[in-house]
Structure formats: structure tokens, C-alpha cells
Amino acid sequence: MSAQESKKLTIKPVPHSAAGMNAVFIALKMANKAMSPSKAFKILNKLNQKDGVDCPGCAWPDPKDRSKLGEYCENGVKAIAEEAQDKKANEGFFEKYSVAELLDKGDYWLGHQGRLTHPMVIRKGESHYQPISWEKAFQMIATELKSLPNPDEAIFYTSGRTSNEAAFLYQLFVRMYGTNNLPDCSNMCHESSGVALSETLGIGKGSVTLDDLYHAEVILIVGQNPGTNHPRMLSALEKAKKNGAKIVTINPLKEVGLLNFKNPQTVKGVLQGGTDLTDLYLQININEDVALLKALLIGLLEKSKIEPSVIDQEFINSKTSGFEELEKELSNYDYHELIERTGLELEMVEQLLDLLSSSNKIIACWAMGLTQHVNAVDNIREIVNLLLLKGSVGKKGAGTCPVRGHSNVQGDRTMGIHERPSKALLDKLAERFGFIPPKQAGYNVVEAIEAMHEEKGKVFFAMGGNFLPAAPDTAFTAQALQNCKMTVHVSNKLNRSHLVHGDIGVILPTLGRTDKLLEQGKPQLVTVENSMGVVHTSQGMINPPSDTLMSEPAIIARLAKKTLGSEKLDWDELIRDYNNIRKLISQTIKGFEEYNEKIERSSGFALPNGAREGVFNTDTKKAKFTINALSEVKLSADEFMMMTIRSHDQFNTTIYGLNDRYRGVHNSRKIIFMNKEDMNELGLKKEQKITLFNEYEGKRREVDSLSIIPYDIPRKCLATYFPECNPLIPITEIARASHTPASKSVKVKIKA
Ligand SMILES: Nc1nc2c(c(=O)[nH]1)N[C@H]1C(S)=C(S)[C@@H](COP(=O)(O)OP(=O)(O)OC[C@H]3O[C@@H](n4cnc5c(=O)[nH]c(N)nc54)[C@H](O)[C@@H]3O)O[C@H]1N2
Ligand SMILES: Nc1nc2c(c(=O)[nH]1)N[C@H]1C(S)=C(S)[C@@H](COP(=O)(O)OP(=O)(O)OC[C@H]3O[C@@H](n4cnc5c(=O)[nH]c(N)nc54)[C@H](O)[C@@H]3O)O[C@H]1N2
Ligand SMILES: [Mo]
């Protein structure tokens, strides 16, 4: 146990403002603890700068006018402190600790044991990971892959830090091997956005640019906590606000970052008070966003009967389909009943209605608060309905802004990491590489877990990520991984997924974003795509923790060569110079023509985006209004609705620290935020330890020792942290159409 883990839970007042110099000091302290000051300086100086390294944190885009005070945030510095730490988990480390001992330690401790330095292997019955040479490791994996009677018995997961170059090579290798089993973290993240947006607007990505934010009249921020998860978005919101935008937040929690922001990159933000960001804060019940949106749609339609300009009839007529059906469907609902469901005061909703009525340029931003429910796709389609009604897609200052998570999760998808690839991509691969790609859809994350559970999936290969704690239903997922013949993890650091392995477990250590990447002594750069579809370079600059490490592209190329041979593709040649990989990308993926020339010419280029230009590439070439369902989850008298959210001190399953400063929580992650009146009703006390449990389809799941924190949260709603409460999320509770685990609406009961 670390010093911080042994401290007692402390609850402090929630601060009034986010960021400021305090945030910078805290982050720099963490960086200095993890590495030498000169190394920290070297990295931070180049972080998100034009010739520098892309922050391995979130996917928020870089502004054109980057701050001289540093274009990064507190949590970006923490991500760097984590990745570039001086400590090493080397062969000696694995000799010292058995897997059973390591499993006892917890995610926070594991993450702070340093960088992996050597390929390691463990076989069933052994207690410790042992070193293995790269050559033997590749041979072993290739032999296993070749021995499978059907390539669909292998599963190839990707997390979202993988560069475009690695992602392209990876999907090519996997499809040449013969399967579309390419689940990725998107399946647990913005898949619901991709599905909803592709269907309604013809592109599975957002439509806005940073500049649009600066021209918006209204910015809706729904189910997103940028103060923690996309801190640099706060500077963009501040600028938007200065230009006259009104900001509306829809969230069950009053997230501090959205209330007041002290910009550490401006003199005013450092010396004076911060900027109040949100103009209208709607503290909605969990998963009642569709009800609110329906009420707004009804309200706007009503108003338009008196004042036609309240909706954009010309846009509706010329660019969309399905409007009459929507009007008819809305007539089935009672405006006041809908508002009642949201738990919001009528007056607040009417204020929003007035604001929307008088504005023509609206941007909707959202993240996991909308995408992780059974009706998640409905959530996003209903947002699109609102924007379409207002003609707020495809013009300056308006549009969709699903704020992506991992720094290259969007790029990985663009490169073809998808278990349901488009026919166009498969045809292009066939034409360019002369093989017949598999046509059958592969497994997404949930299907992959089920397949491994049923022993239909036999080899699990992970390109980054931390599959076990990130996935739902932890015990079920653990069993699935243990059922495998082989589990392989390409990773820069040790994590819990490495410790729950198949008959053979392999860890392949890789370079991180900040590491200098050399192939045969020649420096290489990689490319990534940000949340707004801009592709740019990233170049590491510090010496890697060990000479033995390989880059992700090199690992894929070597494994591909061992598994498939070099007849169809000279894998060695591809990684000799990454321009060769990009040449292949430019010949295969739309929007990447003259890839090498483009990245040489400028610091970034925007990919084509129909919706941005008002061109809707749906099957009918129209933007579509859709009919969407209200949440159907019903709570019994003793049940609560739980959302699993991120604290301020984590990046997904990577736990930077045990504080959640913006919510006043210190030294613990095993907590539960609860409404005070609900506590009183059940006779529960502050900091009392309770067990949460549920029974879906007769199966009991539980997490114990959670301390209650009285909090400003709607009644019957609870918040807990991801991944600690993932054991409570049933594998069967997934979003319709996107199959995303419903991690934000889990029914639970309390046992005192
Ligand atoms: N520092 C840091 N940065 C990150 C990450 C990280 O863990 N740490 N993770 C990255 C990744 S992969 C992602 S996907 C993003 C995640 O970014 P977010 O989506 O901001 O992350 P969550 O903590 O899951 O926050 C969800 C928010 O939705 C609200 N919410 C929950 N349920 C509902 C609901 O039903 N309706 C509404 N309206 N709101 C709801 C919660 O109160 C919370 O404020 O961040 C990325 N950036
Ligand atoms: N209950 C609940 N569950 C959730 C969520 C939630 O909100 N609630 N959010 C979901 C979301 S949005 C997401 S995106 C997923 C995240 O799922 P994952 O992407 O699988 O999980 P991460 O925690 O981001 O993965 C972190 C690990 O990646 C490895 N890593 C870091 N950098 C690199 C690198 O450069 N290369 C390689 N090869 N490895 C690297 C390290 O080993 C680190 O431990 O979790 C999902 N799970
Ligand atoms: Mo994510």
C-alpha cells in the first residue's frame, strides 16, 4: 500500500472554480515526483506544440494560436507523469512479485511501478511472469494464431492511443489473417454517437471545428465533464463566451469546471477571478435527457405556430426527411409529464426554450453521460432532431460535437479498426493488397467477452488498453479472459488485465507517445486525428526506458511477418520508414491522398466532413429526423439509478491519485455520492460504509465497502467511480444498436 492509499477518506468543501494556478502546481508536483525536472521541462515544452508530441490524454483539438505559457492542462501533465515515469517494472520486478501478489495490489499501485522493459510470459500453473526474447514471443503467438482452425477464434482489441500508422497496419494484418474481430474501446465509449450520427447525418463523427465554437450563439454541454476530462475545452468555452455565446449545461451533477474557470494560460485567469461559464444549469435526473429533448421539441413547435422563424422551415424542407412523422410522434406526449420525468423546474426548461427560440446557431457537445445507456443511440438521435429543427447543422457556429475520449480513438476508426467494416474499405483493401478480406462482421467488445466466455474466442490480443477493468461485469470478463488459450497485451505499463491471463499470458512492452521513436537509427514520427477530424503529427523526444522496447508498428509488422510471411507484403520495408506505411494509407483511405506531402507541408489537415458543409451522405442524401424512445428503466421503491463516472485523478483505468478535488473527495475511490434526503430516509450516515448490489435476471452482483458522501445529486440517483463499480454492470445491459455497456444507468440497491 502506498502512503496515500493508507490515508483516511476526507471530505472537503467543493471548490468554486476549476483550474487556475493551483491546478498547474498540483500537476507539476506529480510530474516532478515521477521524473527529473529537466525531463519534465523537455516534454512539457513540446506538448501539443506544432512540431511536438500529441498529448496522450484526451482528443481535444489544439487551437491555432497556441499559448506561450504552455498548451496543456493539469490532466495532460498527469498523463505525461504517468507515461514518462523514471521507474521501471523490469525482469527483477516480475521475479519479486507473483501474479497473485500483484493482483492484490490494486490499479493505483500497479500503475506506479514504472515502465515495462522486457517481453514477459507466463504459463498456466506458474506463479510468476518470466522474461522471453522478442523472437520467441513472436514465434509463440504466430504458432498459436496459425494453429486455430478458424481465424474468427482470435480477437484483436485496440485502445485509443494507437497511432494512425499502427492502427492501419494492425487492421491490415488482422484482415489478411482472416477476421474482422477488431473490437475497440469505442465500443464502450462513443459507439452510440457513431451509430446515431451515421444514420441521421451520414457521418459518424462530429461536424464542428474549434472556430465554430467561437461563432456559436448557444452551446449545450450534455453529459460531459470537461473540467476533468477535456480541460482545454474550458479555454475554448471561455473564448466562445467572450464572443457572446450562452452556455447551457445538462448534467445530474453540478460539475465545478462548468461553473467557473480560471484560465491558467492567461494573465487574467492567473491573477484575477475566473469566468463563469454556464448560464443555465439543468440538473437533470439520470437518463431523462430524451424526455427533456422531447419537451424542448414540443415547446419549439408550439412557439413556431405563433412565430414561424423559431424553427428553420426552409432547412427542414430542403435538407431533411421525417419531419411530419416526428411532429406526429411528439403529439403523443404531454409536455408537463415529460418535464416531470426530468426532475427539472418548469421555469428552467422554459428559460432554455426561450434561449433556443431566439438563437439560430446552436452547438451540442456531449460525452459519456449520453452514450452509455440502453437508450443511448436514442439520446443522440434526439439531439440531432433538435439541431435539425433549428437548422443548426452544416453552417458556421452550429453543429454536432461528440467530444472524444482517447487521443486517437477517432483516428483508429478512420484507419479501419472496426468490427463492422464498410464494404468500401474491404473492396479497397482487396484491390490494393490482392487478398479477399473477410466479409462477416466481427465481435464488438461485449460480443468478444461473450465469445471468450463460451470458449469460441481462444486468443485475445490487446493493442494497448486495460480490457478487464474497463469492460463491464468484471467477474464475467475475468472468466472470459481466463478461458482463452492465449492472452497477449502490447503495453507500456503493467495493468490488471495482464494479471488475469489465459493458458499462456504474454506482455509485449512498447514505446509511449513521448518516447523517441527510431527504426534502424532513423527517427520516425506518427500521426493522429483529433476529436474534430484534424490529422497531425506527433513526435516523441525522450529516451525510452529500455533499448529492448519496440514501437507498436514494429510489433505488428514482426508478428505479421511471422504469421503470414512476406509474400503479399514486405512488412520490414514498411517499418523501415513510416512514410511507407502512410503511402499505403494514402492509397487506401479516403481523405488521405498525398498524406506524406500534406503532413510535411502543414501542421495539420482537416478530413472531409459532409455534415460540416451541409451535405448529408445518408442513403437518401437527406438529414433524417428520427423517432426515439424514452428511457424504459423502472426503479422499484428500494432501487437507485447509479452512474459510474471518472474522478479528477484518473485516466480511465489509470489511477493518477486518490483525490477528486473538484468534488471535494480526498484519499479514497471507494465512495458513493448520494442525495441527503435519500440518506435521511434510509437512516444512512455520512461516510457510512455500505454494499451496493443488484439482481439482473436473477444474477446477483455486488461491491462492498463504499463510503457514502452526501452530495448535490438528484433524488434516487447515485454516482460511483469507474472502474471500482464495474462489477455491478451486467454484460447484458447494452445500448440498442451500438452495444455500448450501459455504465451510466445501472439499477442498484443498498445494503447497510
Ligand atoms: N483526465 C481524464 N481525461 C479523460 C478521461 C479520463 O478518464 N481522465 N477519459 C477519456 C475518455 S476515454 C472519455 S470517453 C472522456 C469521458 O469524458 P466524460 O464523458 O466527461 O466522462 P465521465 O466521467 O464518464 O462523465 C460523464 C458526465 O456525464 C454526466 N452524466 C451521467 N449520466 C448522465 C445522464 O444520464 N444525463 C446527463 N445529461 N448527464 C449524465 C456525469 O454527471 C458526468 O458529468 O474523457 C476522456 N478524457
Ligand atoms: N463503468 C464504466 N466503464 C467504462 C467507462 C465508464 O465511463 N464507466 N468508460 C469506457 C470508455 S469511454 C473507455 S474509452 C474504455 C477505456 O478502455 P481502455 O482504453 O481499454 O482502457 P484505458 O484505461 O484507457 O487503458 C489504459 C492502459 O493502456 C495502456 N497504454 C497506455 N498508453 C499506451 C500506449 O501508448 N500504447 C500501448 N500499447 N498501451 C498503452 C496502459 O497499459 C494502460 O494501463 O473504458 C470504458 N469503461
Ligand atoms: Mo472513452
Side-chain angles (χ1 to χ4, degrees):
M1 203 185 264
S2 68
Q4 198 186 2
E5 278 170 302
S6 59
K7 285 190 193 160
K8 193 180 162 299
L9 163 68
T10 314
I11 305 172
K12 294 187 185 170
V14 171
H16 299 292
S17 185
M21 284 316 282
N22 188 33
V24 178
F25 289 139
I26 289 173
L28 291 177
K29 216 169 108 186
M30 254 191 213
N32 280 329
K33 226 168 111 184
M35 66 188 88
S36 68
S38 64
K39 185 163 149 190
F41 178 77
K42 202 168 166 183
I43 301 174
L44 296 179
N45 206 21
K46 286 281 183 196
L47 195 53
N48 292 326
Q49 297 297 340
K50 284 185 178 151
D51 57 344
V53 62
D54 181 56
C55 180
C58 76
W60 188 255
D62 306 314
K64 277 200 190 99
D65 44 347
R66 296 179 204 191
S67 168
K68 293 204 172 55
L69 288 175
E71 190 55 54
Y72 49 84
C73 69
E74 173 190 347
N75 280 347
V77 180
K78 289 183 196 161
I80 294 296
E82 196 76 27
E83 174 174 304
Q85 55 182 296
D86 285 335
K87 243 174 128 175
K88 289 172 195 177
N90 54 17
E91 297 103 301
F93 172 85
F94 285 99
E95 204 180 316
K96 183 166 169 201
Y97 295 104
S98 70
V99 166
E101 283 168 319
L102 291 173
L103 256 179
D104 257 358
K105 298 284 190 186
D107 297 328
Y108 176 69
W109 188 91
L110 290 176
H112 289 87
Q113 300 317 302
R115 288 285 301 274
L116 294 164
T117 60
H118 204 279
M120 306 296 297
V121 65
I122 189 165
R123 291 173 187 83
K124 201 175 183 174
E126 291 175 353
S127 59
H128 288 66
Y129 265 102
Q130 315 265 352
I132 182 174
S133 70
W134 279 106
E135 180 63 22
K136 280 195 181 136
F138 288 134
Q139 190 58 56
M140 203 162 144
I141 304 165
T143 305
E144 196 67 53
L145 287 176
K146 285 196 279 189
S147 77
L148 294 179
N150 181 343
D152 287 332
E153 292 178 9
I155 292 163
F156 298 87
Y157 175 70
T158 316
S159 170
R161 271 192 192 169
T162 295
S163 65
N164 283 354
E165 289 73 8
F168 182 81
L169 273 195
Y170 190 47
Q171 62 82 36
L172 185 60
F173 159 57
V174 169
R175 296 202 164 101
M176 281 184 156
Y177 168 69
T179 181
N180 282 315
N181 282 343
L182 284 159
D184 72 337
C185 68
S186 259
N187 296 145
M188 301 185 263
C189 183
H190 264 296
E191 192 73 61
S192 308
S193 309
V195 168
L197 294 173
S198 303
E199 181 194 345
T200 54
L201 301 178
I203 182 165
K205 306 178 182 183
S207 72
V208 304
T209 62
L210 262 185
D211 204 46
D212 284 318
L213 283 169
Y214 307 147
H215 287 83
E217 290 168 354
V218 177
I219 301 175
L220 302 172
I221 300 170
V222 198
Q224 190 205 347
N225 179 20
T228 285
N229 298 313
H230 308 91
R232 288 187 308 136
M233 180 175 172
L234 300 186
S235 327
L237 291 177
E238 185 183 46
K239 189 164 168 187
K241 187 127 191 192
K242 226 180 257 160
N243 292 351
K246 293 273 185 242
I247 295 177
V248 179
T249 298
I250 302 169
N251 196 311
L253 301 180
K254 280 261 174 75
E255 303 286 23
V256 172
L258 287 163
L259 295 175
N260 187 279
F261 168 57
K262 287 186 177 164
N263 190 340
Q265 286 150 350
T266 62
V267 175
K268 176 182 173 287
V270 173
L271 298 179
Q272 299 169 18
T275 306
D276 289 331
L277 288 182
T278 297
D279 296 280
L280 191 58
Y281 211 114
L282 303 186
Q283 226 178 326
I284 194 167
N285 286 338
I286 294 176
N287 202 15
E288 290 300 352
D289 300 87
V290 174
L292 173 64
L293 290 161
K294 280 199 193 299
L296 294 172
L297 291 168
I298 291 173
L300 288 171
L301 285 171
E302 275 306 306
K303 279 177 184 276
S304 75
K305 285 180 189 150
I306 301 155
E307 174 54 61
S309 67
V310 161
I311 63 173
D312 191 339
Q313 200 66 59
E314 196 199 312
F315 176 85
I316 296 170
N317 292 343
S318 63
K319 296 272 189 181
T320 72
S321 66
F323 178 61
E324 282 82 26
E325 289 86 341
L326 177 73
E327 256 188 319
K328 200 163 144 232
E329 192 254 352
L330 289 172
S331 67
N332 298 329
Y333 293 96
D334 179 83
Y335 177 70
H336 291 281
E337 273 174 30
L338 288 169
I339 295 176
E340 170 102 29
R341 286 182 67 129
T342 64
L344 298 166
E345 282 169 27
L346 177 65
E347 198 211 314
M348 296 288 270
V349 179
E350 305 245 295
Q351 274 187 45
L352 175 53
L353 205 48
D354 288 342
L355 184 59
L356 293 175
S357 299
S358 59
S359 313
N360 296 311
K361 293 191 286 181
I362 301 162
I363 289 178
C365 306
W366 70 87
M368 297 305 102
L370 287 194
T371 64
Q372 299 175 331
H373 302 281
V374 172
N375 51 293
V377 177
D378 300 75
N379 276 338
I380 293 134
R381 298 196 319 176
E382 204 72 325
I383 288 223
V384 171
N385 280 345
L386 178 69
L387 294 174
L388 292 180
L389 196 67
K390 294 291 303 174
S392 266
V393 189
K395 69 179 177 196
K396 186 120 208 118
T400 55
C401 184
V403 186
R404 299 279 162 174
H406 267 297
S407 54
N408 197 38
V409 61
Q410 191 159 311
D412 291 349
R413 273 294 166 90
T414 309
M415 291 297 116
I417 302 284
H418 203 314
E419 79 283 358
R420 285 170 172 76
S422 67
K423 185 171 174 300
L425 173 70
L426 295 183
D427 288 348
K428 203 76 203 171
L429 291 176
E431 179 196 315
R432 173 62 189 80
F433 298 101
F435 74 107
I436 303 170
K439 292 201 173 52
Q440 193 191 326
Y443 298 131
N444 56 36
V445 162
V446 167
E447 290 163 345
I449 296 167
E450 285 166 342
M452 290 187 278
H453 214 268
E454 293 166 23
E455 300 184 23
K456 284 194 228 150
K458 300 209 169 92
V459 173
F460 177 79
F461 188 103
M463 183 53 68
N466 190 1
F467 193 79
L468 172 63
D473 224 340
T474 316
F476 188 87
T477 301
Q479 189 59 57
L481 291 170
Q482 283 169 324
N483 286 355
C484 287
K485 285 168 72 175
M486 180 181 262
T487 46
V488 184
H489 294 272
V490 178
S491 186
N492 55 0
K493 285 188 352 189
L494 180 63
N495 68 42
R496 209 184 336 152
S497 303
H498 308 158
L499 306 173
V500 178
H501 52 81
D503 293 350
I504 301 175
V506 183
I507 306 175
L508 303 177
T510 192
L511 299 172
R513 263 304 154 72
T514 47
D515 293 323
K516 230 183 243 165
L517 203 174
L518 302 174
E519 297 292 356
Q520 296 171 16
K522 264 185 63 190
Q524 306 291 332
L525 50 79
V526 293
T527 49
V528 291
E529 175 184 342
N530 69 29
S531 194
M532 292 181 180
V534 173
V535 178
H536 62 91
T537 60
S538 176
Q539 194 161 21
M541 76 303 278
I542 55 166
N543 291 326
S546 154
D547 291 340
T548 37
L549 298 193
M550 278 191 202
S551 72
E552 290 182 352
I555 290 173
I556 299 159
R558 298 221 154 89
L559 179 60
K561 187 177 163 187
K562 275 262 182 303
T563 315
L564 306 173
S566 298
E567 289 77 48
K568 284 224 150 54
L569 205 56
D570 185 348
W571 300 96
D572 290 334
E573 179 61 9
L574 288 178
I575 52 160
R576 191 183 54 77
D577 181 347
Y578 290 7
N579 278 339
N580 296 336
I581 307 177
R582 284 185 288 271
K583 212 179 275 166
L584 293 186
I585 297 174
S586 69
Q587 293 161 358
T588 326
I589 312 275
K590 221 174 134 204
F592 286 82
E593 300 77 15
E594 297 181 16
Y595 198 179
N596 283 314
E597 294 76 5
K598 274 186 194 148
I599 56 169
E600 188 131 308
R601 265 202 309 268
S602 75
S603 56
F605 64 95
L607 290 173
N609 188 311
R612 186 173 293 162
E613 274 100 47
V615 176
F616 302 109
N617 293 314
T618 59
D619 48 359
T620 56
K621 300 287 167 207
K622 297 256 181 192
K624 292 182 183 172
F625 283 102
T626 49
I627 308 292
N628 301 302
L630 290 168
S631 147
E632 284 156 19
V633 186
K634 297 258 177 315
L635 296 178
S636 61
D638 57 347
E639 275 178 332
F640 289 81
M641 183 63 88
M642 177 188 80
M643 54 179 179
T644 50
I645 56 173
R646 291 157 169 78
S647 82
H648 194 61
D649 267 3
Q650 72 184 86
F651 191 96
N652 298 342
T653 67
T654 300
I655 311 301
Y656 300 143
L658 302 176
N659 301 335
D660 192 3
R661 200 169 79 244
Y662 292 163
R663 300 193 186 106
V665 182
H666 294 260
N667 308 322
S668 179
R669 295 183 49 83
K670 292 232 18 192
I671 56 95
I672 149 173
F673 296 108
M674 189 169 184
N675 183 294
K676 218 170 179 163
E677 288 174 51
D678 285 335
M679 287 173 58
N680 291 342
E681 224 165 65
L682 294 179
L684 298 169
K685 299 264 164 328
K686 179 178 166 183
E687 293 183 40
Q688 182 176 339
K689 286 208 168 114
I690 54 101
T691 296
L692 284 184
F693 70 100
N694 55 23
E695 266 170 38
Y696 279 84
E697 291 163 20
K699 187 168 171 191
R700 190 183 168 96
R701 295 173 174 86
E702 65 175 56
V703 172
D704 62 12
S705 304
L706 296 163
S707 302
I708 300 184
I709 298 180
Y711 206 74
D712 182 5
I713 181 170
R715 294 209 55 180
K716 297 291 272 180
C717 294
L718 302 176
T720 57
Y721 293 137
F722 142 55
E724 283 74 6
C725 283
N726 282 38
L728 289 162
I729 305 168
I731 190 87
T732 47
E733 286 297 289
I734 52 174
R736 286 187 295 268
S738 69
H739 296 227
T740 299
S743 338
K744 295 285 192 279
S745 45
V746 186
K747 286 193 287 184
V748 289
K749 293 183 186 175
I750 296 173
K751 193 171 77 186

